[in-house]
Amino acid sequence: METRVTKLLGIEYPIIQGGMAWVANANLAANVSKAGGIGFIGAANAPAEWVRDEIRKARQITDKPVGVNIMLLSEHADEVAQVVIDEHVEAVTTGAGNPGKYMKAWKEAGIKVMPVVASVALAKLMERAGADAVVAEGMESGGHIGEQTTMTLVPQVVDAVNIPVIAAGGIGDGRGVAAAFMLGAEAVQMGTRFVVAKESTVHQLYKDRVIQAKDIDSVVTGRSTGHPVRSLRNQMTREYLELEKKNTPFEELEHLTLGALRKAVVEGDVKMGTVMAGQIAGLVSKEQTCQEIINELVSETEAILKDRVSKLTF
Ligand code: TUI
């Protein structure tokens, strides 16, 4: 399973754990790396010192490469951008914006830079700015999303750039990994499947909600505010979508979601909290260790690529 991405990052398998806000801490990221993929600590809105501590904790768990995801809407983004340099992080992914202003400093520090993009235009811009790879993320993903699906976005990005493309959004098992490879991706980024990893420290009620989710259980709130977010349907999303229908002002909507992700992840409030998860939640059915998840993904993918593809007749 060697690709340009495994060679770029010095990892065994082309499997990346998405840097999920509040969920992707040192424990999750380091255990994904230890299992042969690569984990990303989600900096989200956290202060830079939290990120530094998590990087150091991850180093205690594994000497394999570990990454940090920088959420560019964060007021701490500038400081976090410096912390990843100071702490010699191997790789950075970015979300919810254009990381152009940090690229030069990261490249000079030898960091592998892989911006998450939701469009061909941003992918091309990032290649020109010196990105090592791009993560093409479809709207099947949980959290903050773009408009295109993974099925349509990935091949268009693959055609538009020469750097390797990592597919994200809607991938939950070996069938999804194999399909991403068919679209031209050289690695996958997965979030929802790792939310329920044994090493994931999210509240048990959050994990249970993901495991119980059916195919149609995710909804997108915030389309009216310009920050569309996919999460699992609950009382909060029902109230939010009602208010959006009534053209409620931005501030009032913000009030409903303020701190809501933390409420779900830390306190287990799956009614009024934001239970971010992707559309593939319906396929995620059990808690497993990061090693079990990665081993299963690899064996499923290999079996499909060997068996099913070779048996196709035309
Ligand atoms: O960033 C993500 N997923 C996230 S961030 C997050 S925390 C948050 N919570 C509430 C509101 C906003 C953020 C939870 N999940 N994924 C990567 C991603 N990036 N998806 C879409 C984009 C994106 C969208 C527009 C990237 C760039 C962009 O435009 C860039 C530009 O300025 O041209």
Side-chain angles (χ1 to χ4, degrees):
M1 275 223 190
E2 198 175 81
T3 70
R4 282 191 292 170
V5 175
T6 59
K7 283 187 255 180
L8 174 73
L9 299 172
I11 58 177
E12 206 173 342
Y13 305 118
I15 297 171
I16 291 167
Q17 163 254 308
M20 301 165 282
W22 282 101
V23 172
N25 57 18
N27 202 50
L28 182 62
N31 278 293
V32 172
S33 294
K34 206 172 168 180
I38 182 169
F40 281 76
I41 295 163
N45 285 308
E49 286 316 303
W50 180 86
V51 180
R52 192 190 302 280
D53 286 350
E54 292 303 300
I55 297 166
R56 292 184 179 174
K57 280 189 221 165
R59 300 293 191 209
Q60 301 290 313
I61 302 171
T62 183
D63 53 9
K64 301 256 180 82
V66 172
V68 171
N69 174 271
I70 303 184
M71 209 279 284
L72 296 165
L73 294 170
S74 167
E75 57 178 306
H76 306 293
D78 286 349
E79 288 165 72
V80 176
Q82 185 58 44
V83 164
V84 297
I85 295 172
D86 298 342
E87 297 295 321
H88 306 288
V89 161
E90 285 82 4
V92 163
T93 56
T94 59
N98 176 348
K101 67 171 172 169
Y102 306 118
M103 297 284 280
K104 190 166 167 283
W106 288 339
K107 293 311 303 165
E108 279 171 11
I111 298 175
K112 307 298 183 221
V113 184
M114 314 195 296
V116 178
V117 303
S119 69
V120 165
L122 189 60
K124 286 165 92 167
L125 198 62
M126 293 297 98
E127 177 176 51
R128 278 203 299 278
D132 296 282
V134 287
V135 181
E137 188 183 280
M139 53 83 84
E140 297 93 325
S141 303
H144 179 63
I145 54 170
E147 290 286 350
Q148 293 250 86
T149 61
T150 302
M151 183 78 122
T152 58
L153 180 65
V154 172
Q156 294 186 73
V157 172
V158 166
D159 283 353
V161 299
N162 293 308
I163 52 178
V165 176
I166 297 155
I171 301 167
D173 66 9
R175 292 171 296 184
V177 179
F181 289 163
M182 294 293 117
L183 297 176
E186 293 181 61
V188 296
Q189 176 185 278
M190 297 178 28
T192 307
R193 179 86 186 257
F194 287 113
V195 169
V196 304
K198 291 229 167 94
E199 296 92 337
S200 155
T201 50
V202 312
H203 199 284
Q204 190 60 42
L205 292 173
Y206 195 120
K207 289 189 183 178
D208 293 345
R209 180 71 187 87
V210 171
I211 287 168
Q212 286 155 14
K214 295 191 296 291
D215 55 347
I216 57 168
D217 276 359
S218 82
V219 290
V220 179
T221 55
R223 283 212 160 100
S224 67
T225 70
H227 289 148
V229 167
R230 182 180 302 284
S231 65
L232 297 181
R233 191 196 299 280
N234 61 8
Q235 191 181 331
M236 185 280 294
T237 65
R238 274 190 292 276
E239 287 179 16
Y240 194 110
L241 291 170
E242 266 315 304
L243 290 171
E244 269 193 303
K245 249 194 267 172
K246 292 186 213 145
N247 291 322
T248 307
F250 181 74
E251 299 74 36
E252 217 174 304
L253 292 171
E254 283 284 282
H255 184 71
L256 193 62
T257 51
L258 214 60
L261 179 60
R262 186 195 160 278
K263 222 189 287 177
V265 171
V266 180
E267 294 167 23
D269 184 351
V270 295
K271 289 202 173 80
M272 289 310 290
T274 309
V275 186
M276 289 186 190
Q279 288 186 323
I280 204 66
L283 197 83
V284 173
S285 60
K286 57 181 181 296
E287 272 186 66
Q288 291 169 301
T289 64
C290 292
Q291 189 73 65
E292 286 166 346
I293 292 172
I294 289 186
N295 290 352
E296 194 170 287
L297 289 168
V298 169
S299 61
E300 286 173 353
T301 305
E302 284 175 347
I304 287 167
L305 292 177
K306 275 200 197 101
D307 271 26
R308 204 173 294 188
V309 177
S310 69
K311 286 196 185 108
L312 287 173
T313 50
F314 297 98

